[in-house]
Each structure stands twice: as C-alpha cells, then as structure tokens.
Amino acid sequence: MRLNPQQVFSEYTEARDFKTALGNRGLYEQNRINERFYIGDQWHGAKCGNERPLVRHNIIKRIGDYKMSQVMGNPLTVSFSADGVPNIIGCKQSLKLKKSDISKDAGFSFSGSIDNQEVNLVMSALSDYRNVTAERVGFDALSEKALRNAYITGSAVFYTYWDPDISTGLYADDSRNIAIKGDINCEVLDIENVYFGDPYNDDVQTQPYIIIASHRSSEEVKREALRFGSGREAVGIIDENSEDGKILVLTRLYKEYNSDGNYTIKCVKAIRGAFVRREFDTGLRLYPIALFNWERRNNLVYGESEITYLIPNQIAINRMITANVWSAMAMGMPMMIVNGDTVTDGITNDPGQIIKVFGSNEDVSGAVKYVTPPPFGENFNTSINSLIENTLTQSGANEVALGDSRADNATALMTMRDAAVMPLQLIKTRYYAFVENISRIWADFWITHYGNRRIKVVDENGIWYMPFDSDRYRELMINAKVNVGAGTVYSEAESVNVLTTLFEKGIINKRQFIKRLPDGIIPDSEGLLEAADETEDNNDDRL
C-alpha cells in the first residue's frame, strides 16, 4: 500500500495522543514542568505574591549536573571492526607499519580482491576518521545537549542526516576542478518531536516507522517541494496552512522489504494534505536515529526522568527554607503597634528615627510596641538539612560524590568517590551503548554515501588522507566498540606519577614521557617534543 499524506498525519496524531496520555500529566506537560524545576523556576504558578522572598534551594540541578558530568567525565574513543574478519595481535602490529607506508604514498589505492588485511586497515582508518567527524560536527556539545535532554525529559534522540551542501575540501579529479560535496550532519532532537511506530518496543532499529515533526520556514519548505518535484499543489497548500511563516512538516522513516527478505530505509516528507518530498530511498541499512533513556521503563520506548519524582522533595525544601527566612525576618524586623492618638507623625523602619509623642509618661510608654512573634521550632533547621541530605543521598549524590567530604589522602578519597559513583554505572553503560549506536550509524553512511573519496586520518603519522571506495565495503557488517579512558583529576595525577616513575627508571624516553602526559597539563607540549628530538639527535651525532 502506497503512503499518502493523510495516513502520515493520522499516524502522527495517534502517536501524539499516546504521549499525551502517559503518566499523570502526559509527556508534554510533565517535560515542561521538569524543565522549569531544573533551571530554577520552581515557584511558577504558586500564587504566593511578591511581598516576601520566595527562596529556592535547587537540589535538582545540582544532582543533574553532577550526574551528567560523571557520565561525560571519561574520554571516549571508538574502534570499528568488521564481523567475521579476524584481527589478532600480529595483524595489529603489521597494520601500524602498513598505515605508515600508505601515509607517505599520496598515489596509493586499493585494487583487486579484498583481503583481511585491507579490511582491518580500513577499519583502523575509520576509527581515526570517526574522531575527525566528531570534531567537525561538534559531537561533545551535542552529547552535552543529549544528556541534558535525557535528564530532564527521560529520553535523548541523536539524529544523523546527509547534508548534500557540505563542502569537503576534496576533489574527484587531479586538476581539482570537480569538488566533492556532501557529508553527514547531526542534531539532537527533542523527544516531544519524535514519534515511534511501536511505542511498546524500546529497540529503535526494529521499529516499523519513525516520524520526526518539525516546524520549518514556509519559504524553505516551498523550495524543497519545488526542488524534488512535488509540484505547485504543495506550494499552494503551504501558503494556506502556514502560521507566522512556519509550517508543520512530518518526516517519516520506514523499512521497505524486498522479496529476498532484505530491507532498505525509505523516507517521505509530508505536510497536511500534500507531500513535500515523495518516497525516496535513503540507501541506509539502519535508522539514522539513536535513543538514550536516562531511566528505562519496561515495554516502553520513552524513558523516565528522575526529576519527576524529585519535584515533591524540591517543593518541600523550598517551602521550609522560605518559612525559615520569613521567621528570621519577623524576629529581626517585627511588626509595630502604634497608638495613633499620641503619635501623629508617620513611622518607618529607618534606624535612628525620632518619634514625637504627645501626652503623659503612660502615653509615651504605650505609644509604640513590637509584636513578638512565636518562637521558631528548634528542630526545624535540622529537618531542613535532613531532608536535603536524604534527597541527595537517595539520588546517589551524597557529600562524598559531590566532593564535600574530606579524606586523609588522595587514595582514600578516590576509593570513597569510586564507591559513591558506582550506582551511576548503569547510566554510563546505556550512554556508552548510545555512542556505539551513533558510530554504527555513521559507518552506515560512510559505506552507503561516500562513493570514491579520500578520508582524513589523524594518528601517530600525522594528518594524511587514505583512499576509500565505499562500494568495496558495502557488504561488510561493521561493529563499533567504545573504549573508556580515565577521566578524573586523581586519575590524571596517578598517570603523571606512573609516567614519572617509568621515566626515572629509564623504561621510557623523554618523547614518550611528554607524549603521554594528560592534555593541558603543560603548555607548548609540541615545542618540548621538538626540543627532545633535537637533544636526542645531537646525542646520536656525538656517538
């Protein structure tokens, strides 16, 4: 059955109604509330007036920032491998030599049948190229945004798409006349704008379809409709349905199977009543969408945010601290009762004010008096501190994890912190799987869209370009694995200590020592490396 715009909008409406019915408030309203509480707008709609200060002690943000920093605190690298192709230790050693030879040969190209060495060499180059791509698309900033979305809304969606207008700086001919354009681009989508065909299935790659909703400029949508031959009918509908220069566009990604049981990812773009772009084949084998859930829910694709269940505690803490502040203000600046018969001038709270009183001594003594407020509960402050401490502890952000505790030495503190952050390992594991899924999607684009071009490699040989013919590797099953490095300050300190010991014992030389120091620990490390090389050369000359 061929798709039509009405069917796409019907699926979108059904999925939107499902989200609206999730939980007590629905996904959209709950996410708006969570966002306000995270940024600190925690008295919204309370109708408490503006006459007294409304105090907030934002533990939600402190918990979230701590956990997000822990998840992103370890540097990650990704290595690719081809399923079914062995890569043993001996192969890895020969690969380094082969890459060094290729980096020096600008005219090198692969030919003939593909062997295991070529596949492993390409996988190694793609692992380096992944870092180049991550830097180009701003992966660190996108990851931070994805984590923030996941903490607030429960889910983060990372979308990779092909941008045909990106300039690569590469050319298809030696005379540099035919420029190669087009590369992958990425963005983080709000979960409110992504709709899964089967909301009870949390595996993205087995979804029957995925719909992405976006409000785009009407003029931009018109240009796309004309570019892909949707006709003037679509342009007329765009003019009729646009609001404030914007129009709702639905992008539907879905699988289409052939008679062999294989499938490809296809796509359509629709507005209400017309297609902006009719069905086209993306050429991909994977949905270009990766999903990260902060907390998983059984039999549901949408995750859960812990903010939803921290809000009652946050409200109680804010109210208790506000009451405490009001009590202190009442004690320090109590209300006055003034006898208007004897005090004719106005009275303010200004210090040193002279009040004129007419009458007898009794009239003077009874002219002004303060109303003494009732004493504040002695255990109130203890209850506030206990509620804050218990909330932080139950959320896995106790004083040890937050760095508020002290230890006798760095080793003891490291041990305490490792124990404190252990519960975060489950979230970290889901995040690492999220990064691996993104990397597999990138590899899918590379072998389906790149054609014949050179890819930029940055490794121990410097910056060089390796020939890459995607058609040669189209049938490979590429897997990605995240490698996690040490990320804490104490781990860096320990690394420096170990490197220093190795250098002092003569196990490593000056260059190896400087090269392996943590980034940023010394200025102009490249200059030091050059100086170390010159020293070694001079020593060799004397020998």
Side-chain angles (χ1 to χ4, degrees):
M1 182 181 69
R2 296 190 63 84
L3 282 171
N4 57 66
Q6 290 75 18
Q7 180 183 348
V8 176
F9 266 82
S10 176
E11 293 169 344
Y12 160 73
T13 302
E14 182 179 352
R16 186 185 59 191
D17 293 342
F18 180 86
K19 287 184 179 180
T20 304
L22 279 176
N24 296 327
R25 296 185 177 92
L27 183 143
Y28 303 103
E29 179 61 23
Q30 187 64 61
N31 289 351
R32 282 192 289 268
I33 294 173
N34 289 359
E35 171 80 10
R36 287 199 298 266
F37 269 81
Y38 175 78
I39 64 175
D41 185 15
Q42 298 172 344
W43 288 93
H44 180 84
K47 298 180 180 180
C48 295
N50 298 318
E51 297 179 358
R52 295 180 179 179
L54 300 176
V55 183
R56 60 186 180 186
H57 183 91
N58 198 346
I59 62 167
I60 287 178
K61 191 174 190 302
R62 191 179 191 196
I63 293 171
D65 289 350
Y66 155 70
K67 290 188 174 182
M68 286 184 279
S69 66
Q70 285 296 319
V71 173
M72 288 193 67
N74 299 87
L76 304 180
T77 59
V78 177
S79 58
F80 291 102
S81 61
D83 291 347
V85 178
N87 187 10
I88 58 178
I89 295 177
C91 294
K92 294 179 180 179
Q93 293 173 344
S94 63
L95 282 180
K96 291 184 178 181
L97 299 175
K98 186 66 175 177
K99 288 175 68 176
S100 179
D101 293 338
I102 296 176
S103 66
K104 301 172 184 176
D105 185 359
F108 177 85
S109 63
F110 292 106
S111 60
S113 59
I114 303 176
D115 58 14
N116 289 349
Q117 185 184 43
E118 178 184 345
V119 172
N120 288 326
L121 182 61
V122 171
M123 293 301 106
S124 177
L126 288 181
S127 300
D128 295 324
Y129 183 62
R130 186 262 172 197
N131 298 331
V132 174
T133 301
E135 183 177 356
R136 178 177 63 81
V137 301
F139 184 73
D140 289 342
L142 291 172
S143 297
E144 185 275 330
K145 183 178 180 181
L147 276 175
R148 185 181 186 276
N149 282 4
Y151 180 71
I152 293 174
T153 68
S155 301
V157 179
F158 196 99
Y159 178 46
T160 304
Y161 60 94
W162 184 257
D163 188 342
D165 298 323
I166 292 180
S167 298
T168 64
L170 303 173
Y171 293 85
D173 59 330
D174 294 335
S175 58
R176 299 176 67 86
N177 292 321
I178 305 174
I180 297 176
K181 297 189 70 175
D183 211 330
I184 63 173
N185 212 339
C186 306
E187 64 177 304
V188 175
L189 304 177
D190 294 334
I191 191 62
E192 293 90 343
N193 297 327
V194 181
Y195 303 85
F196 297 95
D198 183 3
Y200 301 105
N201 177 17
D202 62 357
D203 186 357
V204 171
Q205 296 304 327
T206 59
Q207 288 288 333
Y209 62 85
I210 302 172
I211 295 176
I212 301 172
S214 58
H215 284 85
R216 295 170 53 192
S217 164
S218 300
E219 295 301 320
E220 178 188 356
V221 178
K222 285 181 189 178
R223 289 194 298 270
E224 184 173 1
L226 294 174
R227 177 181 179 183
F228 293 105
S230 296
R232 297 194 174 277
E233 177 187 358
V235 174
I237 294 176
I238 292 172
D239 289 332
E240 293 176 2
N241 292 276
S242 62
E243 298 180 3
D244 299 327
K246 299 280 188 178
I247 190 168
L248 175 63
V249 179
L250 301 182
T251 300
R252 187 185 193 267
L253 299 161
Y254 58 98
K255 294 180 178 179
E256 184 172 281
Y257 290 84
N258 57 28
S259 57
D260 298 331
N262 296 320
Y263 65 85
T264 185
I265 304 297
K266 291 200 170 183
C267 179
V268 295
K269 295 184 179 182
I271 57 174
R272 193 177 298 276
F275 281 122
V276 175
R277 185 176 182 183
R278 298 185 182 278
E279 177 184 273
F280 65 95
D281 192 344
T282 66
L284 298 172
R285 298 177 296 186
L286 298 174
Y287 282 123
I289 283 179
L291 177 69
F292 169 57
N293 287 334
W294 191 267
E295 291 289 348
R296 295 181 58 189
R297 292 192 281 193
N298 287 335
N299 302 319
L300 193 62
V301 69
Y302 304 109
E304 183 67 271
S305 169
E306 66 176 304
I307 293 180
T308 302
Y309 304 102
L310 287 174
I311 287 175
N313 290 38
Q314 181 68 73
I315 292 174
I317 290 169
N318 288 349
R319 286 179 173 176
M320 293 172 73
I321 296 178
T322 299
N324 196 359
V325 171
W326 288 2
S327 174
M329 291 173 64
M331 293 292 291
M333 296 179 292
M335 293 185 295
M336 293 186 296
I337 295 179
V338 181
N339 188 334
D341 293 333
T342 57
V343 180
T344 58
D345 294 338
I347 296 179
T348 67
N349 286 327
D350 295 336
Q353 181 184 8
I354 298 175
I355 302 174
K356 293 182 180 180
V357 177
F358 301 96
S360 61
N361 291 336
E362 290 79 7
D363 294 329
V364 172
S365 61
V368 177
K369 69 176 182 179
Y370 288 96
V371 177
T372 304
F376 204 65
E378 296 180 359
N379 295 327
F380 199 76
N381 284 330
T382 303
S383 298
I384 296 174
N385 294 331
S386 177
L387 179 57
I388 293 174
E389 182 180 350
N390 288 336
T391 303
L392 292 173
T393 301
Q394 293 301 318
S395 299
N398 55 35
E399 62 178 8
V400 175
L402 294 173
D404 295 337
S405 62
R406 295 183 179 180
D408 295 335
N409 53 65
T411 302
L413 184 57
M414 288 172 60
T415 303
M416 294 168 61
R417 287 174 64 87
D418 288 344
V421 302
M422 188 61 68
L424 280 175
Q425 190 58 47
L426 296 176
I427 298 177
K428 287 185 176 182
T429 300
R430 288 195 292 273
Y431 176 72
Y432 300 153
F434 173 66
V435 174
E436 288 176 345
N437 289 335
I438 294 171
S439 301
R440 292 188 189 98
I441 291 169
W442 288 5
D444 194 27
F445 272 97
W446 295 334
I447 64 174
T448 58
H449 286 66
Y450 262 27
N452 197 342
R453 66 170 72 179
R454 291 182 176 269
I455 59 175
K456 183 179 181 180
V457 179
V458 181
D459 61 7
E460 63 273 8
N461 299 307
I463 300 175
W464 55 283
Y465 290 82
M466 194 188 80
F468 181 77
D469 185 357
S470 64
D471 290 337
R472 288 177 65 86
Y473 316 112
R474 188 177 293 271
E475 301 304 321
L476 294 178
M477 299 298 296
I478 300 179
N479 198 9
K481 181 181 184 301
V482 163
N483 306 301
V484 184
T488 66
V489 174
Y490 300 105
S491 295
E492 288 186 355
E494 290 295 320
S495 298
V496 172
N497 290 336
V498 172
L499 287 171
T500 303
T501 301
L502 293 175
F503 176 70
E504 290 175 347
K505 292 183 177 182
I507 299 175
I508 60 176
N509 58 31
K510 293 179 182 178
R511 182 176 181 82
Q512 292 170 328
F513 175 77
I514 298 172
K515 189 73 174 177
R516 286 165 175 77
L517 285 173
D519 292 339
I521 197 169
I522 55 174
D524 192 21
S525 59
E526 292 298 326
L528 284 176
L529 286 173
E530 293 177 1
D533 290 340
E534 292 176 359
T535 302
E536 291 180 0
D537 292 340
N538 292 334
N539 292 336
D540 291 340
D541 293 339
R542 286 194 294 270
L543 293 175

